[in-house]
């Protein structure tokens, strides 16, 4: 019922920080289904400008579903996305790169504290870096690597 009501509002900002899309004992299919159900009304809300899903149990699969959904919603004019500390990994990183490439409105992106992104194959990091470099709308990026992660061939400024 809540999601049905949300889809009919002019909601501009949604803070889901610290939430998990499903119980930790749920299967990957259950988590994906729960996330798809949660995200559906957000995508039909053309006024949504800021989404904070930071410090959550989103995970790699959940991130993939979220980014693919946002990318597939042409009416969504999302300007700010915070998925810091959400457990993103390789598949969500690659889908995030596609979202950045296709978005003409995303201006602020927070990716910090996602060590799995740095542990993923270099293709995910390279795809994100290339998409960020080619974005004409992105003006603010927060992407701090955890101190314990080796960055490979990428350099991190202090």
């Amino acid at each position: 019922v809540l999601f049905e009501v949300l889809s009919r509002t002019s909601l501009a900002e949604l803070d889901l920080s610290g939430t998990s899309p499903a119980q930790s004992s749920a299967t990957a299919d259950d988590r994906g289904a729960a996330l798809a159900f949660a995200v559906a009304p957000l995508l039909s809300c053309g006024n949504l400008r800021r989404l904070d899903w930071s410090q959550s149990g989103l995970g790699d699969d959940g991130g993939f579903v979220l980014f693919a959904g946002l990318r597939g919603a042409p009416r969504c004019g999302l300007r700010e996305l915070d998925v810091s500390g959400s457990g993103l990994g390789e598949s969500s990183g690659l889908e995030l790169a596609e979202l950045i490439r296709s978005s003409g409105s995303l201006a602020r992106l927070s990716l910090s504290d996602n060590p799995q992104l740095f542990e993923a194959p270099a293709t995910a990091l390279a795809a994100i870096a290339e998409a960020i470099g080619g974005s004409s709308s992105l003006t603010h990026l927060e992407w701090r690597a955890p101190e314990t992660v080796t960055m490979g061939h990428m350099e991190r400024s202090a």
Side-chain angles (χ1 to χ4, degrees):
V1 175
L2 172 64
F3 297 127
E4 185 178 319
V5 170
L6 286 175
S7 69
R8 294 187 302 240
T9 68
S10 57
L11 185 69
E13 185 171 323
L14 184 60
D15 186 344
L16 296 170
S17 60
T19 62
S20 178
Q23 297 293 332
S24 60
S25 61
T27 66
D29 287 340
D30 290 341
R31 287 191 306 271
L35 181 64
F37 178 73
V39 168
L42 303 177
L43 304 180
S44 63
C45 179
N47 295 320
L48 185 65
R49 299 295 177 251
R50 182 176 179 272
L51 176 58
D52 183 346
W53 212 322
S54 63
Q55 308 306 317
S56 69
L58 193 59
D60 193 35
D61 292 340
F64 179 87
V65 172
L66 174 64
F67 303 145
L70 288 170
R71 190 165 61 91
R75 283 188 17 170
C76 185
L78 191 68
R79 296 195 41 78
E80 296 182 37
L81 177 62
D82 186 347
V83 287
S84 56
S86 295
L88 304 179
E90 180 182 10
S91 64
S92 58
L94 291 169
E95 191 60 32
L96 174 60
E98 292 301 318
L99 173 62
I100 295 167
R101 277 189 199 95
S102 65
S103 175
S105 62
L106 188 62
R108 298 179 67 90
L109 178 61
S110 298
L111 293 172
S112 295
D113 303 321
N114 279 295
Q116 298 89 338
L117 272 177
F118 292 95
E119 295 165 359
T123 54
L125 285 176
I128 293 171
E130 182 180 318
I132 289 169
S135 173
S136 61
S137 63
L138 195 62
T139 60
H140 178 83
L141 174 66
E142 183 181 322
W143 192 3
R144 290 184 309 270
E147 294 299 320
T148 58
V149 175
T150 302
M151 301 275 299
H153 298 291
M154 295 185 71
E155 295 181 16
R156 182 174 69 144
S157 59

